[in-house]
Amino acid sequence: GCYIVTSSFEIQASSICIAKKTMTIGSTLPSHHPAERQRALDRAFNYPYRRPRCSFIMVAGKFFELDATPELADYRNQKLHWKDLKVREFIVPDKAESNASTLQGDVYMDCVGVGPWMDLASVAAQLNMPLTDVFHKRIPVLAIGSNAGLEQLTRKFGNDAVIPVLMIRLEDFDIAYCPTISAYGSVPATIQRAPGVHCDIAITLLSEEQVGNMHKTEAG
């Protein structure tokens, strides 16, 4: 099975799910409306979208840094209670700043915390969002390209989702360009077998329903 250890960031590749992707190549650029055309261009050029270097959780459209002090495996094994997981909201850069950084090749941003560390249950209560166990019956899915990007997570799952995103180290694989173009114009990323190589990558912990939705959104 899957194991996640925050001190060494390791994961067994056999235990993860890779979202299904089918490509339908075609133009998605609106031909008449300048604003819509610019949004379409931004979506293509800003792939794979900005994301923090740290593990985080998306709750009700807000993003919170996860405290990496305890081993997250202990939450999955119920040695620690998920409600006691410490989080703090971090600053999300404005869209213009994110776009400029992405075009310069820097998709990662440092987590700049806002306010004190709080337990996850308190955050949920403040947001008036009842939570079930955020680690129970979750499926780890590799976020190879854009699926750890804040903009992409919001686009795919809306503002009502709860999604933990964990930074891990994947052994014997590397990230590479995919030899195709997506329907919205980006050159997507993929993983390539590379014995002896490791890469730092994110996984999303998704419910079965969210995995189904992820597969649908991977249609290009």
Side-chain angles (χ1 to χ4, degrees):
C2 173
Y3 66 95
I4 301 169
V5 184
T6 58
S7 58
S8 59
F9 298 99
E10 296 176 348
I11 187 169
Q12 291 177 328
S14 61
S15 67
I16 56 181
C17 170
I18 299 176
K20 301 172 185 175
K21 181 180 285 291
T22 58
M23 294 294 181
T24 304
I25 305 301
S27 173
T28 60
L29 287 178
S31 58
H32 300 297
H33 200 295
E36 291 183 6
R37 184 179 179 86
Q38 188 59 52
R39 281 194 293 270
L41 287 170
D42 287 344
R43 183 181 179 192
F45 281 116
N46 295 327
Y47 178 96
Y49 315 113
R50 293 271 275 171
R51 76 282 311 278
R53 300 179 189 277
C54 60
S55 297
F56 65 96
I57 185 169
M58 174 183 174
V59 182
K62 293 181 177 291
F63 298 94
F64 299 86
E65 178 183 1
L66 287 172
D67 181 13
T69 302
E71 293 184 351
L72 293 174
D74 288 339
Y75 289 97
R76 291 177 62 85
N77 296 332
Q78 297 183 341
K79 295 178 182 177
L80 297 172
H81 200 283
W82 69 271
K83 291 181 180 179
D84 298 325
L85 183 64
K86 299 300 182 183
V87 300
R88 65 176 177 179
E89 190 172 1
F90 60 80
I91 296 174
V92 178
D94 63 42
K95 196 174 183 66
E97 179 185 345
S98 291
N99 292 350
S101 297
T102 304
L103 289 173
Q104 293 170 7
D106 182 13
V107 300
Y108 287 102
M109 62 189 191
D110 293 325
C111 283
V112 180
V114 180
W117 290 96
M118 303 174 61
D119 61 81
L120 185 56
S122 297
V123 170
Q126 287 184 6
L127 297 175
N128 195 27
M129 186 171 190
L131 295 182
T132 55
D133 190 334
V134 294
F135 294 113
H136 184 57
K137 294 185 178 179
R138 291 278 175 149
I139 302 167
V141 181
L142 274 176
I144 299 169
S146 65
N147 289 332
L150 307 184
E151 178 182 339
Q152 190 75 309
L153 285 170
T154 303
R155 180 186 293 117
K156 290 191 173 190
F157 296 101
N159 290 327
D160 296 327
V162 177
I163 301 178
V165 181
L166 309 181
M167 292 301 298
I168 55 95
R169 176 158 290 176
L170 183 63
E171 302 288 346
D172 296 324
F173 284 90
D174 203 356
I175 307 300
Y177 290 109
C178 190
T180 187
I181 298 176
S182 72
Y184 58 89
S186 70
V187 178
T190 187
I191 56 171
Q192 174 65 45
R193 183 80 177 174
V197 174
H198 67 256
C199 62
D200 294 329
I201 194 171
I203 56 171
T204 51
L205 298 181
L206 306 180
S207 67
E208 289 187 10
E209 181 179 355
Q210 288 169 341
V211 170
N213 184 66
M214 179 68 82
H215 287 326
K216 292 177 182 177
T217 65
E218 290 295 300

